[in-house]
Amino acid sequence: LDYDVNCIDKDPADNTDLCYNEGQEATFVFPNDDHHSSDNNAEGAIHCHGFAWADDPNHSSAAFKANNLFYISMYDHLYQRGYVNNIPGAPMCACAEQMPVVSRSDCTEMDVQQKFEISFDGQNQWTARLLSMDIEFNSCLGFNMLGEEEDNDLWAHMNRLYMEDLVSAEKLQQLTTKIVGHHNCRTAEQRYMATQMNLVVGYKPIGDWIQVAGRESFAATTNQLGKFSFNQVLESSPTNILER
């Protein structure tokens, strides 16, 4: 392994907009295309990559998540690409809730193939033996907010896991606060100011309503719902009434 050649400080492939980073002392907002800067690449090249796994610990995505972590962080990004730097004030590798807010993220999933030999002693004892195992690492498959196929996207992959009942709606919504979608950095900053800094903007609905979408200041007070989760909320409503 030639560390001097491979594991060096290379410029990352730019695949996301960095919205802001919430630190212990302060929150830093980063300039990007959403802020209409005269320099369309004011924040510099930034690369975000992640993976997700099912709630069931026996699901292959959960059972072998450490393999995926090692492949992405140590082999693919460090050894193969030479990515070694972090966002100032943020870890280079961590769980989503510890990372800065971004517009999107690439994603890797595993295709795990296992072959077992199962034998029975003729009385009451079964035994199983693992004969072989193969893990392939591929770009994630997923569905975007409109329910359309979108690959190599962490939020879309998480949405697919939710649609397949492999993760909870709560976890999908938590990820939505960290991956906010294209051209939504300004909205994410407004939401942060409203929820964390108690800055009240827009119109406050009267009555028992669930806000599911909005634009500009209205979007700052809610997490946008995808098509599938929106239908779930609508079906659970006793009246099935939408207010616009």
Side-chain angles (χ1 to χ4, degrees):
L1 178 63
D2 193 344
Y3 293 99
D4 294 333
V5 174
N6 295 84
C7 304
I8 59 177
D9 185 12
K10 293 184 179 179
D11 291 332
D14 193 2
N15 72 347
T16 191
D17 282 332
L18 175 61
C19 303
Y20 66 87
N21 179 34
E22 183 181 2
Q24 294 181 348
E25 299 289 332
T27 298
F28 300 93
V29 177
F30 289 80
N32 51 60
D33 292 347
D34 285 351
H35 292 79
H36 307 290
S37 168
S38 58
D39 180 1
N40 287 333
N41 196 28
E43 66 185 7
I46 296 176
H47 187 86
C48 186
H49 200 116
F51 66 100
W53 60 89
D55 290 335
D56 182 0
N58 295 316
H59 191 273
S60 60
S61 63
F64 298 100
K65 60 180 180 289
N67 298 68
N68 208 2
L69 173 63
F70 183 87
Y71 173 83
I72 295 171
S73 61
M74 300 301 294
Y75 177 73
D76 186 25
H77 284 69
L78 175 61
Y79 175 61
Q80 293 285 86
R81 309 189 198 188
Y83 295 174
V84 297
N85 280 340
N86 62 309
I87 300 299
M92 186 169 67
C93 181
C95 293
E97 57 266 26
Q98 299 170 296
M99 300 301 286
V101 175
V102 296
S103 61
R104 68 168 305 281
S105 172
D106 286 353
C107 177
T108 296
E109 67 175 339
M110 297 174 292
D111 181 14
V112 181
Q113 301 291 331
Q114 294 176 285
K115 183 181 292 185
F116 290 90
E117 178 184 79
I118 300 176
S119 59
F120 181 60
D121 65 1
Q123 297 181 7
N124 59 359
Q125 185 66 40
W126 290 88
T127 58
R129 183 166 65 98
L130 178 63
L131 299 179
S132 64
M133 180 173 64
D134 180 70
I135 301 178
E136 293 185 359
F137 299 90
N138 305 307
S139 295
C140 289
L141 304 178
F143 299 98
N144 61 23
M145 293 186 68
L146 299 177
E148 301 167 342
E149 290 187 8
E150 184 169 345
D151 300 337
N152 195 32
D153 186 278
L154 180 57
W155 191 94
H157 179 62
M158 191 71 168
N159 191 38
R160 171 192 162 201
L161 295 180
Y162 167 66
M163 293 172 67
E164 295 176 353
D165 201 27
L166 294 175
V167 298
S168 65
E170 179 184 5
K171 288 188 176 180
L172 177 62
Q173 291 175 344
Q174 288 174 347
L175 185 63
T176 303
T177 65
K178 289 294 184 177
I179 301 178
V180 299
H182 292 296
H183 309 297
N184 284 334
C185 275
R186 186 181 295 270
T187 297
E189 294 159 11
Q190 291 175 343
R191 181 188 299 120
Y192 176 83
M193 294 296 292
T195 59
Q196 303 300 317
M197 306 299 291
N198 297 320
L199 176 64
V200 179
V201 296
Y203 166 72
K204 183 177 181 181
I206 300 175
D208 190 17
W209 294 93
I210 298 175
Q211 188 173 347
V212 296
R215 294 179 59 185
E216 299 176 353
S217 62
F218 291 97
T221 58
T222 184
N223 293 327
Q224 303 285 351
L225 297 180
K227 177 181 179 181
F228 184 81
S229 52
F230 170 79
N231 289 335
Q232 291 266 349
V233 172
L234 184 61
E235 291 173 3
S236 63
S237 170
T239 59
N240 299 123
I241 295 176
L242 293 175
E243 181 185 42
R244 296 186 63 184

